[in-house]
Amino acid sequence: MALSTACSAARPGQSAGSGTPAPPGGATAPTAVRPPAANTVFDYQLGGAYPPPAGVRAVSRDRTAKPAPGLYNVCYVNAFQAQPDADIWEDRHPELLLRDEHGEPVIDEDWDEPLLDISTSAKRQALMDIVGPWIDGCAKAGYDAVEPDNLDSYERSDGRLTSRHAAAFAQLLTHRAHRRQLAVAQKNTTDLLPQRRRIGFDFAVVEECARYKECTDFGDAYADRVFVIEYRKKDFTAACRAWGKTLSLSLRDRDVRPAGAEGHVSERC
């Protein structure tokens, strides 16, 4: 599976807070939820917002950034893992970090991020008191959609979490977002494609699906409403040949640096 580059330390930090409780009401998605159109030209701006290149019609930005005026805006939320400043979680919500047999947090070693404990209904509800207001903030800021990252964190949990736990928490996230009239992206994780409708995903944001031969699966599942990010030129080139007329394809540097920063790469088919 592709690593979730959206967890790079180069992106803006997120802090945990208790926020406000979820409002009452049903979880049915309102008709105002609007997924992106297929093959919308897309730019992935998680490492810092910058003016979108000419021709871009959709962007994904960290939830701490403002949406891009006039474009389709996707709000990035690290919903399944804590940011590198995990001391905030350790101080305020230690019971919500996944722990190993020694009581130490289970860490995604690629990005030095502790995994959140989504293993029980009670803990998932407690996490919604934190993550839910982040989603509310995306809606209030004017975003069109939300991208909950690290859906596949159960694969890095040493067996302490399962896809069933991930699906259950993702369903809470999609219900919250739909009540705020936000579309919701499935982030990676072909294992959960069969459950996409039950969970409530509306489209997909996928990293390196050409490299891992998953683009067709996501394109078929979401009627080509898929934003693809490749990090290797050869994979991007192959993806453009195969899906350039159907999927939204971007080449980015692995740290998704902003325009003007050394090492910034941003291309589209």
Side-chain angles (χ1 to χ4, degrees):
M1 301 297 292
L3 291 177
S4 182
T5 300
C7 296
S8 168
R11 67 167 186 267
Q14 298 171 338
S15 60
S18 60
T20 56
T28 302
T31 56
V33 168
R34 180 173 63 96
N39 205 17
T40 301
V41 182
F42 173 70
D43 194 27
Y44 210 42
Q45 299 192 1
L46 300 190
Y50 52 89
V56 166
R57 295 292 177 263
V59 298
S60 184
R61 289 178 171 176
D62 188 85
R63 68 180 182 85
T64 61
K66 294 181 179 180
L71 303 187
Y72 188 93
N73 285 273
V74 182
C75 186
Y76 172 89
V77 174
N78 192 0
F80 290 78
Q81 294 183 181
Q83 294 293 100
D85 53 351
D87 55 327
I88 294 176
W89 285 86
E90 192 69 74
D91 290 343
R92 299 182 186 179
H93 309 285
E95 75 287 357
L96 297 181
L97 295 178
L98 187 68
R99 308 254 174 201
D100 63 18
E101 65 273 16
H102 304 295
E104 296 298 321
V106 177
I107 304 295
D108 175 350
E109 295 182 357
D110 288 302
W111 304 108
D112 194 27
E113 293 185 350
L115 275 61
L116 301 180
D117 190 349
I118 57 172
S119 63
T120 70
S121 177
K123 290 189 175 185
R124 292 190 291 268
Q125 291 292 341
L127 283 166
M128 284 304 298
D129 288 338
I130 300 167
V131 181
W134 296 350
I135 293 173
D136 299 345
C138 295
K140 184 176 181 180
Y143 280 90
D144 300 287
V146 63
E147 171 195 345
D149 197 19
N150 290 307
L151 177 65
D152 60 351
S153 62
Y154 64 90
E155 297 179 354
R156 300 180 286 278
S157 70
D158 298 324
R160 291 174 174 83
L161 300 175
T162 69
S163 60
R164 180 177 59 82
H165 298 137
F169 189 53
Q171 192 170 39
L172 295 176
L173 296 169
T174 59
H175 288 178
R176 182 69 166 247
H178 286 159
R179 285 159 56 183
R180 296 293 183 268
Q181 300 182 359
L182 295 170
V184 186
Q186 176 176 342
K187 182 67 174 290
N188 301 326
T189 324
T190 53
D191 289 349
L192 290 177
L193 278 176
Q195 300 185 57
R196 65 191 183 278
R197 291 191 178 90
R198 183 178 66 83
I199 293 171
F201 293 128
D202 304 294
F203 66 106
V205 175
V206 185
E207 293 168 293
E208 298 190 290
C209 68
R211 180 179 181 180
Y212 294 99
K213 298 178 173 50
E214 298 172 339
C215 294
T216 296
D217 293 336
F218 279 100
D220 290 347
Y222 287 104
D224 295 335
R225 293 187 178 94
V226 183
F227 294 139
V228 176
I229 307 97
E230 296 293 337
Y231 300 112
R232 304 193 310 183
K233 180 69 172 183
K234 65 178 182 179
D235 299 322
F236 174 69
T237 300
C240 288
R241 286 199 301 264
W243 300 286
K245 295 182 179 180
T246 55
L247 304 183
S248 305
L249 296 161
S250 301
L251 175 68
R252 287 302 328 261
D253 56 283
R254 197 166 285 278
D255 288 327
V256 286
R257 299 174 179 92
E262 184 178 358
H264 169 83
V265 174
S266 180
E267 296 182 26
R268 281 149 291 281
C269 295

